Amino acid sequence: MGGWRDMSAEALEDQYSPSRWSPRLDRDTIIDAHLAVTAAGTERARASAQTSLHVPYGKGDGEKLDIYFPTDHSGTFPVLVYIHGGYWQCLSKDESGFAAPPLVSQGVAVVAVGYDTAPRGHMDTMVLQVRRSLAFLVEQYPEIREVAQRNSPMRHVAPAVPAACEVLVVVAQHDSPEFRRQSQEYSQALRAAGWSVSLLDLAGVDHFDVIEKLSENSYILTQVILNMISRA
């Protein structure tokens, strides 16, 4: 079976650079465009939702998170934890609240987690920080449900347990072939371990607008997330 082990360093760099695969914009402008879209969406979300911003979950300067509360949060509520990407080098929680409006309007809280990106943060540190943020949320809001991701999910596929959560793996049509292969392989590994897994292959989107569109009420992924939460 092929994969990254068969690639040259140059080919591997291409596969892991989403800006090289989008048909919408060239590689020199798509990242700036993505930052502009997510930053503007986050600004709108902060203006329209009730929030608790820059909440410390640890002692480090980068260990803060933003909470976008649902319109009615007097009782229990589900939560979507958003852990931003950025090739471990860029982006932050401050551009990660753009998906909140369609969810908070339906009673779902959105939490954008900050962590120390490279070079300040090592991958092991990033994983520990994300785990720390989830432990903080569970302690502060014991009524939510939480799901922790490890830094290499394929290496940590455990057998499903009773009442295990449903897993949704999403990949964009214009993700790189390697990203698409890994999504398929991860889905298969989870399914083989007994998990309930859905693989959603979204047409007409790339690595960037596949999440940018989460700010839209009618977007298929927004609706799938809300549907999964309603069944939980």
Side-chain angles (χ1 to χ4, degrees), residues 13-34:
E13 180 66 22
D14 277 342
Q15 292 288 329
Y16 281 86
S17 299
S19 60
R20 304 183 183 189
W21 296 91
S22 173
R24 293 186 298 129
L25 297 168
D26 64 66
R27 56 191 285 188
D28 295 323
T29 58
I30 192 165
I31 293 178
D32 287 341
H34 178 67

Side-chain angles (χ1 to χ4, degrees), residues 68-71 78-82 98-111 214-217 221-227 229:
Y68 299 79
F69 289 100
T71 305
V79 63
L80 175 74
V81 179
Y82 185 86
F98 58 91
L103 296 172
V104 298
S105 67
Q106 297 298 316
V108 180
V110 174
V111 176
L214 284 170
S215 63
E216 302 173 7
N217 285 285
L221 183 54
T222 307
Q223 293 301 313
V224 168
I225 290 171
L226 288 169
N227 185 52
I229 289 173

Side-chain angles (χ1 to χ4, degrees), residues 81-105:
V81 179
Y82 185 86
I83 302 166
H84 71 82
Y87 213 8
W88 307 289
Q89 298 173 3
C90 63
L91 300 181
S92 74
K93 70 176 182 58
D94 296 321
E95 301 91 28
S96 299
F98 58 91
L103 296 172
V104 298
S105 67

Side-chain angles (χ1 to χ4, degrees), residues 34-104:
H34 178 67
L35 285 169
V37 168
T38 55
T42 299
E43 185 176 348
R44 288 193 297 271
R46 289 181 174 183
S48 62
Q50 183 175 343
T51 61
S52 288
L53 303 178
H54 318 305
V55 178
Y57 64 82
K59 297 180 180 179
D61 291 341
E63 296 181 349
K64 295 181 174 64
L65 52 81
D66 295 339
I67 306 174
Y68 299 79
F69 289 100
T71 305
D72 178 12
H73 58 277
S74 56
T76 61
F77 51 86
V79 63
L80 175 74
V81 179
Y82 185 86
I83 302 166
H84 71 82
Y87 213 8
W88 307 289
Q89 298 173 3
C90 63
L91 300 181
S92 74
K93 70 176 182 58
D94 296 321
E95 301 91 28
S96 299
F98 58 91
L103 296 172
V104 298

